[in-house]
Each structure stands twice: as structure tokens, then as C-alpha cells.
Amino acid sequence: MASQATFKSIKAVIPLLDRVLVQRFKPETKTATGIFLPSSSTSSPLPEATVIAVGPGAPNKEGAIVPTAVKPGDRVLLPGWGGNAIKVGEEEYHLFKDAEILAKIQE
């Protein structure tokens, strides 16, 4: 089970090194025709998220800082595991290592 921290403002969370703060897309709770979906059908988190903030990057073997591959506002594809949950009010965010992010989604 991933650990979970609670904060009053998302601005208080500044990722370090190669960490990326994301907010997962919320699953639809009703269909396009207006039928409400039961919570059991929407319980698994969606693999897509929006990048909220990124750290400056992590040093490589030579000591040079390698920046993260994504930036705030990017849409990304996440693995079904990992990350650390952060709760801000009723909103949930996750911190992932840059290398754990599977892909950047082009619009």
C-alpha cells in the first residue's frame, strides 16, 4: 500500500530530484446518455494523468543534472502500480519518478 500524506495547498508540494507530481483523470461517473455508473465499475484508477509540477532533475553518473522528460501541463500515461498518494482537500495527487512514467500523450 502506498503511503499517503495530506496538505492544505498543492502549492506546498515541490517535487525534488526527478519526481513528478500528477493528478489522475477522474473516471466518468455517468455515460454520454446520462446513465450513472456504479462505483464498482469505476474503482480502478485511469492510467492517464496531468503533470502538475516537476523536480529539477536528478544527477547522472558524471554529476550533471538530467532534467525530467515532462513538464507541467503535459498529459502522461502512468503504470498501474507505484507512486505516492498526496491528498489536498478532496483532491488526490501522486508523486512518481520520471522514469516510472510510461509515455507522454500528444494532443
Side-chain angles (χ1 to χ4, degrees), residues 15 20-22 50-55 68-76 104:
V20 178
L21 180 67
V22 300
T50 301
V51 176
I52 304 300
V54 299
T68 57
V70 295
K71 64 184 183 317
D74 284 349
R75 286 180 55 198
V76 295
K104 189 158 89 169

Side-chain angles (χ1 to χ4, degrees), residues 18-37:
D18 61 344
R19 298 295 193 278
V20 178
L21 180 67
V22 300
Q23 184 174 31
R24 289 184 188 267
F25 291 166
K26 291 186 170 79
E28 292 294 326
T29 55
K30 69 178 183 175
T31 65
T33 58
I35 299 171
F36 284 93
L37 300 171

Side-chain angles (χ1 to χ4, degrees), residues 6-9 87-92:
T6 304
F7 299 92
K8 292 183 193 267
S9 167
K87 197 100 164 159
V88 179
E90 294 301 309
E91 297 293 321
E92 189 170 271

